[in-house]
Amino acid sequence: MERKAAAKPTRRTGVREAAAQATRDSILKAATKVFAKYGYDGGSVEKISKAAKSFDRMIYYYFGSKEGLFIAVLEGIYRRMDEAEASIELDATRPVESLTAVIRFVLGYYRKNPEFVTLLNTENLHKGRHIAKSLRAREYSSQAIAIIQQLLTSGVAQGLFRADVAARDLYLLIASTGYFYTSNRHTLTAFLGEPLETPEAVSHWEDFVIETVLRTVDAGVLDEPTTVPHEVKKWQKSQPAASRAKSSSRT
């Protein structure tokens, strides 16, 4: 009689891989919060493993070192912003509206993700020495600039935008106006004596940035490139004349 071959035990590699990924994700999530709260120097491996309900050795196993974990955290926050940006519905044939949507997204993302700003502040205190070792960070920035370049190219082709504006420069202009306002909102509130986190103040600044960017790229045909809502106009009138930013409106 033929002997039946013994059935090989089924390897549960998929289960183990899922568990390993869950552990890694848990560590990354915990590290993001710990580094945002304590900074790189204060965010110890012990604090992170405790927050992740894991063990120190697992951090070294998955990330190699505390620095490796911090780099992974920075890559993660850039990746999430990149993914969120990719979800914006943009129409390159309507460059003005699409560029406006990009500006609103960037400013809104900074406001809604304070950990993103805090972690970048921490890395800048270290002069970017950790993110410089990342192999992925530049991929995310190049995609953001590519989107702006596409809109600029379309705007130039339609005679709406100037041809001498670099996508890199426009990206820096948008990012800086959103980042500085968010990262320094508490000190600026004290310095200017104005609340910068009220819905009216935030809306006003967003419209001002949109107008600034559109006037920067304007080829001379966008007479009134942005609309300032009535409630923002009302907020502007309530501010001291010395600190009131000028903004145009469309009728």
Side-chain angles (χ1 to χ4, degrees):
M1 296 178 64
E2 294 184 0
R3 297 180 62 184
K4 294 183 179 180
K8 294 182 179 180
T10 304
R11 298 182 63 187
R12 303 180 64 189
T13 55
V15 175
R16 287 198 295 270
E17 289 174 359
Q21 187 61 49
T23 298
R24 191 178 187 279
D25 290 345
S26 178
I27 292 173
L28 268 176
K29 184 177 180 180
T32 300
K33 293 182 178 181
V34 170
F35 282 134
K37 184 176 181 178
Y38 298 101
Y40 178 75
D41 296 325
S44 66
V45 168
E46 292 77 15
K47 288 177 182 175
I48 294 170
S49 60
K50 182 178 180 181
K53 296 181 180 179
S54 185
F55 303 95
D56 295 359
R57 67 175 183 274
M58 301 307 293
I59 291 177
Y60 295 111
Y61 177 79
Y62 287 111
F63 302 97
S65 64
K66 173 182 169 179
E67 182 182 47
L69 176 56
F70 187 60
I71 292 172
V73 166
L74 294 175
E75 290 176 344
I77 63 174
Y78 276 119
R79 174 181 53 77
R80 287 190 290 276
M81 183 177 186
D82 183 69
E83 291 173 349
E85 189 173 45
S87 67
I88 307 174
E89 294 184 5
L90 300 176
D91 183 355
T93 64
R94 303 177 64 189
V96 175
E97 291 83 354
S98 293
L99 184 55
T100 298
V102 169
I103 298 168
R104 291 192 188 280
F105 164 78
V106 173
L107 271 61
Y109 193 88
Y110 287 144
R111 289 196 309 272
K112 297 172 185 175
N113 297 273
E115 288 182 346
F116 180 86
V117 174
T118 302
L119 287 165
L120 292 188
N121 284 342
T122 294
E123 178 59 358
N124 276 295
L125 288 174
H126 288 270
K127 300 183 178 180
R129 65 183 176 90
H130 304 106
I131 196 64
K133 299 177 183 179
S134 169
L135 301 178
R136 299 186 180 93
R138 189 168 294 182
E139 297 176 9
Y140 302 136
S141 64
S142 63
Q143 290 179 29
I145 294 174
I147 291 174
I148 293 176
Q149 181 60 66
Q150 183 182 19
L151 299 180
L152 284 176
T153 300
S154 176
V156 170
Q158 296 181 45
L160 299 174
F161 294 167
R162 294 162 44 193
D164 59 343
V165 178
R168 168 192 171 276
D169 295 339
L170 203 61
Y171 168 77
L172 288 175
L173 174 59
I174 296 170
S176 61
T177 54
Y179 188 91
F180 180 80
Y181 189 94
T182 301
S183 67
N184 289 39
R185 63 194 183 282
H186 302 300
T187 52
L188 285 173
T189 292
F191 180 74
L192 297 174
E194 302 172 9
L196 296 186
E197 293 189 275
T198 64
E200 295 79 11
V202 169
S203 181
H204 163 72
W205 180 246
E206 187 175 86
D207 282 296
F208 182 78
V209 173
I210 290 171
E211 179 180 359
T212 299
V213 172
L214 292 183
R215 288 192 182 280
T216 297
V217 300
D218 184 13
V221 297
L222 304 176
D223 296 329
E224 296 176 349
T226 188
T227 300
V228 181
H230 173 72
E231 58 270 20
V232 177
K233 294 179 184 177
K234 182 178 180 181
W235 176 83
Q236 286 178 292
K237 292 178 181 179
S238 69
Q239 303 307 302
S243 63
R244 188 183 306 143
K246 294 181 179 180
S247 209
S248 65
S249 62
R250 182 186 296 143
T251 56

